[in-house]
Amino acid sequence: MTSPAATHPTTTGWQLTRGRLRDTLTAATAPVIACVVALGALTTWVNSGAAGSRPQLAISSARIFLPYGDGQYTSAYFRIDNSGDADDELLSVTSPVMAEAMLNADRDNGKGGAVMTMVDKATVPGGSALTMSPYGINVMVKSRTKPHWELGDTVPFVLHFRHSGPQKSVAVVITPTIDTPTVDTPNSGTPSSGTPSSD
């Protein structure tokens, strides 16, 4: 007599089905795709020169114009050299003795005057420099009280950068001029024209 178990074996345990095969392949493929995408992004970043690069800033030729008469408004100028490979952005300027300090882009109007435009940031190119001037990027300031400055006095400032953070500087009070304030340190890069960032 033949045993029922011998003629009709009982199937137990896990069986591979088409649905399970599809799910397994999907689960295995997802991490591979993610790694390929990440590797491609890393390769692009390295090839663009961004890997290991950073701004290296040095502030010099800090000047502030002696206000006219009893006025509290004037303008300050800085030269910002960037010996690093990456660009940086000047976002704002502050001073403990100033009620206001705003980044400003003045343009010659062709009639002996200037057109003033407020900007929210100014680019400091990598391997170059941003040199402020009366007909370019500068900082318009208003003192908290009527200033009693004399030529040669100094005024503290802090320049705030997107990547380099806050950087302290001290501006010397000079006679107003339409020329770019004299640079008193060696050039470490090719000065930019003081054009604000378009972003």
Side-chain angles (χ1 to χ4, degrees):
M1 181 174 180
T2 305
S3 172
T7 57
H8 301 286
T10 301
T11 302
T12 60
W14 183 87
Q15 291 186 1
L16 180 63
T17 65
R18 181 174 299 178
R20 287 176 175 172
L21 178 60
R22 181 181 63 250
D23 293 342
T24 301
L25 291 177
T26 300
T29 304
V32 175
I33 294 175
C35 291
V36 170
V37 171
L39 181 59
L42 178 61
T43 301
T44 301
W45 182 57
V46 171
N47 290 339
S48 68
S53 65
R54 54 177 295 182
Q56 296 287 344
L57 304 184
I59 303 171
S60 62
S61 296
R63 302 286 186 265
I64 184 169
F65 285 168
L66 185 69
Y68 179 76
D70 295 331
Q72 291 177 252
Y73 285 95
T74 185
S75 52
Y77 306 85
F78 305 86
R79 176 186 171 93
I80 308 165
D81 286 279
N82 184 358
S83 59
D85 297 325
D87 294 353
D88 208 336
E89 291 179 333
L90 176 61
L91 302 178
S92 64
V93 178
T94 58
S95 171
V97 301
M98 298 299 172
E100 299 177 11
M102 297 171 287
L103 286 175
N104 175 54
D106 285 342
R107 296 288 181 265
D108 189 349
N109 64 6
K111 300 178 181 180
V115 177
M116 183 176 66
T117 304
M118 298 301 159
V119 296
D120 59 0
K121 57 188 173 182
T123 299
V124 186
S128 186
L130 169 65
T131 302
M132 297 187 183
S133 73
Y135 287 106
I137 291 291
N138 56 71
V139 183
M140 188 179 75
V141 297
K142 179 185 179 183
S143 59
R144 296 187 183 278
T145 60
K146 177 183 174 182
H148 298 282
W149 300 331
E150 295 182 357
L151 297 179
D153 286 349
T154 57
V155 180
F157 284 93
V158 179
L159 283 68
H160 303 265
F161 298 90
R162 182 177 300 279
H163 302 296
S164 300
Q167 305 285 326
K168 294 182 179 180
S169 183
V170 176
V172 178
V173 178
I174 65 171
T175 302
T177 174
I178 61 173
D179 299 321
T180 301
T182 303
V183 175
D184 55 3
T185 57
N187 246 345
S188 62
T190 303
S192 74
S193 60
T195 303
S197 172
S198 59
D199 294 337

